[in-house]
Amino acid sequence: MPSIPQPLDPHDDGGVAPAVAAALAAYQAGTAGPAEVLNALGGARLLVPVVALLTESEVGAHGVRQEKESEMALPKLVGQDGREAVLAFTGTESLVRWRPDARPIQATTLQVCRAAVQERAAAVVVDVAGPVQFVIEGEVLAALAAVESGTVGDLAGTGEVTVARIETAPPPAAAKRRRWFSRGR
């Protein structure tokens, strides 16, 4: 049976790291690109939500249906095209904005990316309910997951590694803020 991991920081107040908040604000304002956000998220703590799922219920003595068994689950976002994404939040305020009954589990950005790849998710969506959404997907997601899994460390021992700084080109104005999903009601 899986266990709940120990917190990264037992004294965490659930706030957004100042560097992450600044990078996301600059990204939203158009004065920073995805690379700056990824750099800020690189060493940051994220909160991964877990929610209770009712697996079995029964009718109680007063004729009211009540919980008999439940399990904790990691919810995923499913896009209109069927792709799945793992959710992560920069702080408790954005988590509660999305779903007040979700419970936070602390994880590093690299751990979240690794979990997304293991779950065969196409992306990690950070702060899906705002204030600023950010999506990690494609080659960037795979690269961040590889860092956590030790792949880079294994390659480093061979002496055949080239380290490069990746900078993204500014997106065309029309495609600047494409949404990975749409909100359905």
Side-chain angles (χ1 to χ4, degrees):
M1 170 178 270
S3 62
I4 296 175
Q6 293 297 315
L8 299 172
D9 178 5
H11 305 292
D12 187 348
D13 66 0
V16 181
V20 171
L24 286 170
Y27 178 71
Q28 183 177 37
T31 59
E36 288 82 6
V37 176
L38 287 168
N39 284 333
L41 287 172
R45 174 274 298 139
L46 292 175
L47 300 174
V48 177
V50 291
V51 295
L53 291 179
L54 182 64
T55 56
E56 190 175 338
S57 64
E58 63 187 2
V59 176
H62 301 292
V64 176
R65 183 160 298 284
Q66 61 191 26
E67 177 181 326
K68 186 173 179 183
E69 282 187 29
S70 64
E71 295 178 357
M72 297 306 286
L74 172 71
K76 289 188 203 171
L77 182 68
V78 179
Q80 289 181 332
D81 61 0
R83 293 186 304 158
E84 294 181 339
V86 169
L87 301 173
F89 298 88
T90 56
T92 54
E93 186 177 311
S94 57
L95 176 91
V96 169
R97 183 180 295 152
W98 170 71
R99 189 164 169 177
D101 65 328
R103 297 294 170 248
I105 301 293
Q106 296 175 350
T108 66
T109 300
L110 298 175
Q111 288 171 326
V112 174
C113 290
R114 182 177 177 198
V117 168
Q118 288 175 343
E119 291 289 319
R120 297 187 190 346
V124 171
V125 178
V126 178
D127 289 346
V128 67
V132 181
Q133 287 178 18
F134 187 77
V135 179
I136 304 169
E137 62 185 331
E139 292 176 4
V140 174
L141 175 63
L144 292 173
V147 170
E148 183 62 17
S149 69
T151 303
V152 172
D154 295 342
L155 292 174
T158 67
E160 300 175 11
V161 174
T162 301
V163 177
R165 181 175 177 192
I166 299 172
E167 293 188 18
T168 57
K176 188 169 185 178
R177 297 283 191 255
R178 110 177 139 83
R179 291 185 74 115
W180 192 78
F181 69 98
S182 67
R183 291 183 186 164
R185 291 202 185 240

